[in-house]
Amino acid sequence: MTRRSCAIYATGIVCAHLLILGIALLVAQVFQTMIQERIKKEITLAENSRVLDGWINPPPPVYMQYFFFNVTNPDEFLAGKEKPKVTQIGPYTYREYRPRENVTFLENGTKIFATNPKSFVFLRDMSVGDPEVDRLTTVNIPFIAVMNELNSYSFFLRSFVSLWMRSLGVEVFMNRTVHEVLWGFKDPLLSKIHTMSPEVDEHFGLMYNKNGTHEGEFVFHTGEKNYMDYGKIDTWNGISQMNWWSSNQSNMINGTDGSVFHTFLSRKELLYIFAADLCRSIHLGYVADTEVKGIPAFRFAPPSDVLAPPDENPSNAGFCVPAGDCLGKGVLKVSVCRQGAPIVVSFPHFYQADERYISAIDGMNPNAEEHETYLDINPTTGVPIRACKRAQLNLMRLPFFPFQTLLLIVTVVSNFPVIIVGLGVILLVVLIFLVCRNRQRKNEVKRIDFTEAFHSFATAKDETAYTQVSNQAEDSPENRNNQPLRNGSYIAMSPVEVQKC
């Protein structure tokens, strides 16, 4: 056998073995399994692991950007002449620090307890202005909160309370600095209520008392038992299921807090996140492959059915509270878990919401680029490498107390002294007219009586003068009994007087 033949046979044998081995390894996924097992062991919240250090102190910077809607036509809107017109101002940017504290391992390292306080530092160079100087006109949330608490009371009581609030200078809209609206101010209405009910805080702000505080106590799965449970929430504030929604499914605490996910993500799966500020879990679906600074990632985002009504997504029926009381597409009423004002959450500018919400306000411009929430996650490690969480807070317009009615009542009461004076003047004129009319009638009656008396007197004189008088003696009894009485005799006119006439 020649060398060439040997080389050919040897090459063929080696090639066959390589193909067989390669196919076998590919089918068995030996190396993939080895790598996955290695990664699964490495990426757990095990004690003294590098992953745990990054989980306790997340290295990527987190920025919170706040935008506000400035109402430009509050008077026209309250009068019912125009729909609200708003202009967006912002961003006002804050660096958010969110280290985990009180970290404690539980149940042989399979679970871990932690709190997650958040603190904020203002960044002027990433903001449009100074929040302590810039002002805006927005809805007076304490006012709406108080009126909402009186929802079950009578119209007259609510009218009285609203007038009392008006006397304090409290309006439906307020003009405050961005800093006050965000971080709090002493509200005159809440201050009055505080004097009667000390448990009511006299300060209000969207982020009041939230700088340096946490959203609750969490217990997470470390992934030691099952890598698919890595980062999932076991309990929140000691509960594994909520109780304010109207179905067991809606009350479930599903998924992670959004900071970590299990390894080896699939494009076909749904990722669940529990959002404490929304009081519920939401799911995200795969959107597209992307890349962040050369690192491959899967983009996940909430699909449109997340905030869909039950007729589009029956699983959302439990978020209607009370049962059957559902809002339209794209909004979620969260006041069931946060007492006070009737707060409704949506995506910014009512992105993915019903058109009726968008068209109800002049100034809405929803688009995916600016208003979509998404996570870009490396599918191998399950670590988010870019994230944008976007949400909008809204207030339900109170149907039980129309603003037009409130304005009418306020206008009437504000001008009550003038109205009283006007009524007094009108009644005075009426009184003068009646007095004059009464006197005129009395004068007319006296004049008529005098005329009649004079006429009777004149008639008597005439009859006395012309009536024939008997020639018989006046004292004769016969004459008195038989002679009929006449006017001249009745008024006792003597013949002498008659002769004198």
Side-chain angles (χ1 to χ4, degrees):
M1 182 179 295
T2 63
R3 292 182 179 179
R4 180 177 296 179
S5 298
C6 291
I8 293 174
Y9 283 117
T11 303
I13 294 172
V14 172
C15 179
H17 281 82
L18 289 176
L19 288 174
I20 294 172
L21 180 61
I23 293 173
L25 292 175
L26 183 62
V27 172
Q29 295 186 340
V30 175
F31 289 103
Q32 290 90 334
T33 303
M34 290 174 58
I35 295 173
Q36 290 179 11
E37 291 300 325
R38 181 62 179 175
I39 292 175
K40 291 173 186 177
K41 290 181 179 180
E42 288 290 335
I43 302 181
T44 61
L45 298 178
E47 200 167 356
N48 299 322
S49 69
R50 289 176 296 176
V51 175
L52 179 64
D53 293 337
W55 184 77
I56 294 176
N57 295 291
V62 178
Y63 301 99
M64 284 293 293
Q65 293 189 315
Y66 296 95
F67 297 82
F68 298 88
F69 288 124
N70 182 52
V71 182
T72 59
N73 64 336
D75 295 334
E76 291 79 3
F77 166 66
L78 291 177
K81 298 179 181 179
E82 298 177 355
K83 63 181 180 181
K85 297 180 180 178
V86 299
T87 56
Q88 179 176 287
I89 60 174
Y92 295 89
T93 307
Y94 295 80
R95 170 72 188 273
E96 179 181 333
Y97 296 90
R98 44 170 68 185
R100 299 186 192 271
E101 297 181 350
N102 305 313
V103 177
T104 305
F105 282 93
L106 306 172
E107 300 182 18
N108 296 322
T110 60
K111 297 179 182 179
I112 187 170
F113 171 91
T115 58
N116 192 196
K118 300 177 182 179
S119 58
F120 303 86
V121 178
F122 178 65
L123 302 178
R124 181 64 181 87
D125 58 338
M126 296 179 64
S127 305
V128 296
D130 187 346
E132 297 190 11
V133 175
D134 298 349
R135 304 184 69 88
L136 73 148
T137 299
T138 187
V139 178
N140 190 338
I141 297 180
F143 173 91
I144 300 298
V146 172
M147 295 308 300
N148 185 59
E149 290 296 319
L150 297 174
N151 190 17
S152 59
Y153 293 87
S154 67
F155 175 83
F156 296 101
L157 177 61
R158 285 181 274 126
S159 301
F160 174 78
V161 173
S162 65
L163 294 175
W164 172 70
M165 290 190 290
R166 175 82 178 196
S167 69
L168 300 177
V170 178
E171 305 285 349
V172 179
F173 288 93
M174 62 181 181
N175 184 271
R176 294 281 180 177
T177 65
V178 171
H179 182 85
E180 287 176 322
V181 174
L182 197 56
W183 301 110
F185 61 93
K186 188 175 182 179
D187 182 75
L189 174 60
L190 297 180
S191 296
K192 287 292 183 181
I193 298 177
H194 178 75
T195 59
M196 298 178 286
S197 301
E199 69 275 8
V200 176
D201 200 312
E202 56 187 338
H203 294 84
F204 168 78
L206 296 176
M207 294 292 290
Y208 176 67
N209 274 346
K210 291 184 179 181
N211 197 350
T213 62
H214 57 77
E215 295 178 328
E217 298 178 343
F218 288 86
V219 174
F220 301 90
H221 290 277
T222 62
E224 282 289 329
K225 282 187 176 181
N226 186 347
Y227 82 99
M228 292 293 291
D229 291 335
Y230 169 59
K232 286 186 177 180
I233 298 170
D234 181 55
T235 63
W236 173 59
N237 287 332
I239 61 174
S240 57
Q241 185 167 325
M242 299 168 287
N243 58 10
W244 42 68
W245 302 113
S246 59
S247 73
N248 291 332
Q249 180 180 358
S250 298
N251 281 318
M252 294 175 64
I253 299 176
N254 294 323
T256 73
D257 63 354
S259 62
V260 294
F261 297 90
H262 67 81
T263 55
F264 302 103
L265 297 176
S266 168
R267 295 180 179 87
K268 296 180 180 180
E269 67 179 307
L270 293 177
L271 302 182
Y272 284 86
I273 296 176
F274 175 71
D277 52 350
L278 301 181
C279 307
R280 62 162 290 185
S281 297
I282 62 172
H283 61 273
L284 296 84
Y286 169 81
V287 176
D289 283 22
T290 186
E291 192 176 277
V292 180
K293 296 182 178 180
I295 302 174
F298 291 169
R299 173 162 293 186
F300 286 82
S304 59
D305 66 347
V306 166
L307 298 180
D311 56 348
E312 296 183 22
N313 184 2
S315 62
N316 281 344
F319 296 112
C320 301
V321 178
D325 184 12
C326 306
L327 301 178
K329 182 179 181 179
V331 295
L332 174 69
K333 183 166 59 176
V334 297
S335 52
V336 295
C337 65
R338 300 185 183 278
Q339 298 298 320
I343 299 293
V344 174
V345 175
S346 70
F347 294 118
H349 288 248
F350 295 109
Y351 173 68
Q352 293 184 339
D354 278 348
E355 178 62 31
R356 59 187 171 119
Y357 298 128
I358 301 172
S359 59
I361 302 175
D362 191 354
M364 298 293 100
N365 183 30
N367 62 85
E369 182 179 355
E370 295 180 296
H371 306 137
E372 183 182 46
T373 292
Y374 66 85
L375 286 175
D376 291 338
I377 309 171
N378 178 259
T380 302
T381 62
V383 175
I385 52 180
R386 181 169 56 192
C388 285
K389 179 183 177 182
R390 292 157 171 167
Q392 175 176 300
L393 295 181
N394 312 279
L395 275 176
M396 292 181 63
R397 184 176 177 181
L398 304 180
F400 61 83
F401 198 87
F403 290 137
Q404 293 88 342
T405 304
L406 173 61
L407 288 177
L408 176 61
I409 295 174
V410 169
T411 302
V412 171
V413 174
S414 299
N415 295 283
F416 196 64
V418 177
I419 295 174
I420 292 178
V421 172
L423 290 175
V425 172
I426 294 174
L427 291 177
L428 179 61
V429 173
V430 172
L431 177 63
I432 294 174
F433 173 77
L434 293 176
V435 170
C436 293
R437 182 68 175 170
N438 186 51
R439 288 183 178 179
Q440 183 180 2
R441 287 183 177 180
K442 286 184 178 180
N443 291 334
E444 289 177 355
V445 170
K446 289 181 179 179
R447 190 180 301 112
I448 292 173
D449 292 343
F450 177 77
T451 303
E452 289 178 351
F454 178 77
H455 176 71
S456 298
F457 177 73
T459 303
K461 288 174 64 178
D462 291 343
E463 291 182 358
T464 301
Y466 295 103
T467 300
Q468 296 181 359
V469 180
S470 173
N471 293 327
Q472 297 181 3
E474 182 179 356
D475 294 334
S476 174
E478 296 178 357
N479 292 337
R480 292 178 181 178
N481 296 330
N482 298 325
Q483 184 72 20
L485 293 177
R486 298 189 180 184
N487 288 339
S489 302
Y490 179 75
I491 62 175
M493 290 293 181
S494 65
V496 178
E497 293 176 336
V498 172
Q499 291 175 358
K500 288 183 180 179
C501 286

